[in-house]
Amino acid sequence: MIQIKISEPKAKEAEYTEQMLVPLLERINLLKISLMHISGLSAEISGNGIKSYSKFTARILGLAEGKKYDSDDFNAASYLTTLNAYLSGPNKSANLKIPVLLGFISDLQKEDNSLLKELLTCRAEDLSSMNADLIQRYTLDSKQLKILKCAITYGHKKLSGVCKAFFRKHNFVAFCPYCNLERALYIPEIEYDEEEQAMGEVLDESDDEDEDEDSDDTERGTASVHQLDHFFSQTDFPLLSLSMYNLVPSCATCNSFNKGKIEFSDIYHRNPYIRGFDQDARFVPIKDGLKVSRIKLEVFCEPDTAQYRQLLGEKDDKSKKHLERGNINVFKLRGKYAIHQKKADFVLNAVNKRVTGLRSYARFKIPWGQINKETVYKNWYEYEIRTPFEIESFNDEPFSKFNRDMHDHYFEGKNSSNYKFIKEMIK
């Protein structure tokens, strides 16, 4: 797994917040109106506006009563009648603790929306604690979180559209940070005729329904590659469903097929915005004579550490949950890389030729006295091995971590002074 490195993160966070605030505040305000109606408080009820908040009201009352209302119960003609009948009857809306919800919404809206901005751009390492703090501070229970999810949701087309547009524009990674194998670069389709474009615009304007919460890019006219994985799931952490650092651009295999519905936590899983495998886990070639016979993915941290649990779960866990814990298990990384003995052979042979004097890097030599050995070596590596030498660029090419681990393994135990500068670079 490779860490996601964002250039100028503060500027990106400010841009994301600016783009997200308006549509999100609109949804939050509609939820506020609906909650005021349900609690019998004075709030505007207009024929033109009913359509925009009637879905909130229907969902909330359905949640309170454990039933599903028909769409006709809350159309423009019947909204007031249904609402008044509910309020005057033996209803259960008191169980929803609406004043608490209204207090939380009020805090999201005040002081230049500082709390909402913090929620949108909370750092990855603080997401879990911020979520827990908000739940405790406002005594939010499961029903109240479901109500807030009506507004704070990736499942709404306009909100998910802003998220997708932001991540498509910036393309934080070219290859999936979870596996470093499959492409995660968004490439827009630009060659389609004016009639198709006009039809797409009509569909966008006419369809403002909520999407299925796990839906992604399958629309005509897009050529997207990455999916946005919610590190903390939308179902269990609805407050984080639009948080920038909870959205991980990843490949379809890792997001849909490997992770699927597995509930992630910062105890048993590692968020790639925080760190990659680095030296905690390394690919190791096992040789049979001159050739690599198999690939091991070894973990080099102690079993009782938090780092180990994030990679492999509990050491002695024999339960069914074992394969759902630890990023190595979830994304099946040992199996995905086990078949690449030939690639390991290629890297090891290339390095061997370099250090045994075949001079395959000679094309990069510069006049004597101006030689920077580190620069020459990195240039040789990136030309011959075809992946970045520096960890900051690992997401730009597949097999970057794998190749560097093969390269670094070659120099383990070699003490020649000729290799000293290379070993220093490895450190």
Side-chain angles (χ1 to χ4, degrees), residues 326-419:
N327 287 35
I328 289 174
N329 294 330
V330 171
F331 299 111
K332 307 184 187 304
L333 296 181
R334 284 175 167 154
K336 288 179 180 179
Y337 280 91
I339 61 174
H340 293 293
Q341 298 94 332
K342 289 184 178 180
K343 183 169 285 293
D345 271 326
F346 166 78
V347 176
L348 293 171
N349 289 337
V351 177
N352 187 58
K353 288 179 182 180
R354 158 66 181 87
V355 301
T356 55
L358 294 184
R359 319 296 284 183
S360 61
Y361 74 111
R363 73 194 68 199
F364 297 107
K365 297 198 73 171
I366 51 182
W368 185 258
Q370 302 176 32
I371 293 177
N372 181 303
K373 291 189 294 185
E374 290 80 5
T375 300
V376 171
Y377 190 82
K378 288 179 185 177
N379 287 343
W380 167 83
Y381 178 94
E382 293 184 356
Y383 183 86
E384 292 292 338
I385 308 302
R386 301 295 183 181
T387 49
F389 185 86
E390 299 292 354
I391 190 173
E392 289 79 10
S393 301
F394 275 5
N395 275 316
D396 293 344
E397 296 291 341
F399 291 98
S400 294
K401 164 72 171 167
F402 179 89
N403 289 347
R404 259 300 299 271
D405 284 352
M406 294 301 109
H407 167 276
D408 294 358
H409 178 81
Y410 179 92
F411 292 98
E412 287 185 0
K414 295 187 182 296
N415 298 314
S416 170
S417 59
N418 294 332
Y419 311 141

Side-chain angles (χ1 to χ4, degrees), residues 4 54 57 112 180 250 271 279 319 326:
I4 300 175
S54 61
T57 306
D112 194 31
N180 194 223
S250 56
N271 188 325
Q279 292 299 310
S319 70

